[in-house]
Structure formats: C-alpha cells, structure tokens
Amino acid sequence: MAGYLRQPEHVSRALGERIEIVPYDPGWLRAFEEEAARLRACLPPGMIGRIEHFGSTAVPGLHAKPIVDMLVEVRSMSDVAQHIAPLLQAQGCEFFWRASQPGLPGIEYAWFIRRDASGRRTHHIHFLERGSSEWERLLFRDYLRAHPEAAREYGALKCRIAAVCPDDRRAYAQAKGDFIARIMRAARAGRED
C-alpha cells in the first residue's frame, strides 16, 4: 500500500505489553532519585533543568504500574533529538517521540523507556521544554498527594480497568480519561483560589 509506514518494532512491542497494577512501593522514590542522578551524570552539563517524579509512583499509597515516570526539562527538543537520544539509546533506552506537525520534521514531545536486565520497564523518562503545557501533569500528581481519597479512587479505577483490558494500553489510557479530566478541573480550580 503506497504511503503506508510500518510502525517501528519497539513501538509495537511497547503498545502490546501487559498492564500490571501493583500496590505502592516506597522504593519507587529511590528508583526516581537514582535515575535522576544517572541522567545528570551522563547528559551534557546545562542541557537539562529540573527533574520531577510524577505519575502514580510519585503518590504515596497509590496502586500503580511499577514504572517510575519522570519529567525532565530541556532547553530545546532539538537537544533531545541530536544529543540526548543518542546517549540514552546507547544505554539501551527506547526512544519515542511525537511530531510537532504530522508529516513534518520537528519534535513536540519525546520520551524514553528504560528497562532492567530482564526487559521489564523500570522508567518512563519524558523530556519537555520549559513552556510546555505537559508540565501541567504535576497538578494531577499534587492533587492526588493532597487528597488521599481521590488517590484511593484512582487506584481502584486503574485496577478495574487493567483487569478488563490488560493487553490494550490505549484502551487503558482512554478509560482513565474522565477521571483525570475531573481531577484536573479540581486541581486548576484549587490553583486559582
């Protein structure tokens, strides 16, 4: 079929991996800190700024996929493509990115999967420019940290969804959408108070 591009193998593999939700592990904070230190040591000085632990593993007591999510500030996405991606890929990380405009060069969003020796995901490392709207994800984390009842509700929802669609990451993400939107509205409203 003309114009059809086959999905890269690492993308197909990542989308097809089973979803596992486990009880909170206090070791996730240490795994974040160790990876942040590794990134600061291996990446050129001045290329990255703040590093944040986000997602469910950053919320004490919350059930989560046992994968530490990180947000890393960069000067530019071209730094990620030209300098950071080759370094992390050489360490075995898988590189994923979303184009700023379909069919045109330019990266809007980039992330990496780090795996352990057995091939199990350990970290999702997301790179963002300072002004990216994706930093708003921290509002969700902070709201769940401040509202344990919402965190428990979210954990139970994730367990139910993973039981229904354990092999469909897209469906899993979509099924959380209404809850996430509701919490983000509450978090934004709280920020404005």
Side-chain angles (χ1 to χ4, degrees):
M1 176 179 213
Y4 174 75
L5 294 176
R6 210 171 106 212
Q7 189 165 262
E9 184 177 323
H10 75 287
V11 173
S12 297
R13 174 185 175 198
L15 288 172
E17 289 176 320
R18 189 164 198 81
I19 298 165
E20 175 190 17
I21 304 295
V22 301
Y24 179 77
D25 180 347
W28 289 335
L29 175 59
R30 186 179 67 256
F32 162 76
E33 292 168 346
E34 289 171 356
E35 185 62 23
R38 181 186 356 240
L39 291 170
R40 293 216 182 272
C42 80
L43 298 177
M47 193 163 287
I48 62 173
R50 68 181 172 154
I51 302 175
E52 295 277 353
H53 186 189
F54 81 110
S56 296
T57 62
V59 180
L62 180 57
H63 282 62
K65 295 188 298 290
I67 304 163
V68 174
D69 281 302
M70 305 174 73
L71 291 177
V72 182
E73 181 182 47
V74 292
R75 294 180 303 196
S76 71
M77 296 314 287
S78 63
D79 281 348
V80 175
Q82 295 172 12
H83 305 291
I84 294 172
L87 290 169
L88 293 183
Q89 286 176 304
Q91 295 177 12
C93 290
E94 298 165 11
F95 180 33
F96 300 81
W97 58 278
R98 183 172 63 221
S100 51
Q101 294 181 355
L104 297 176
I107 298 175
E108 175 185 20
Y109 184 87
W111 63 287
F112 297 80
I113 292 177
R114 182 176 298 283
R115 296 177 184 275
D116 64 15
S118 68
R120 186 181 61 84
R121 294 182 194 205
T122 60
H123 296 78
H124 288 169
I125 309 164
H126 305 256
F127 287 85
L128 305 172
E129 292 178 356
R130 177 176 293 168
S132 171
S133 63
E134 297 285 344
W135 285 103
E136 200 171 43
R137 293 175 172 199
L138 297 177
L139 288 176
F140 186 75
R141 175 202 68 187
D142 294 346
Y143 188 92
L144 292 181
R145 284 177 171 175
H147 298 88
E149 69 287 349
R152 282 189 297 277
E153 181 184 353
Y154 187 47
L157 173 66
K158 293 191 310 170
C159 289
R160 285 192 308 273
I161 296 167
V164 171
C165 54
D167 299 311
D168 189 342
R169 288 181 174 269
R170 285 186 177 134
Y172 173 82
Q174 288 174 341
K176 298 185 303 179
D178 288 343
F179 179 89
I180 291 170
R182 178 170 53 91
I183 295 301
M184 288 300 292
R185 283 191 301 274
R188 286 183 194 111
R191 183 176 63 179
E192 294 167 2
D193 291 343

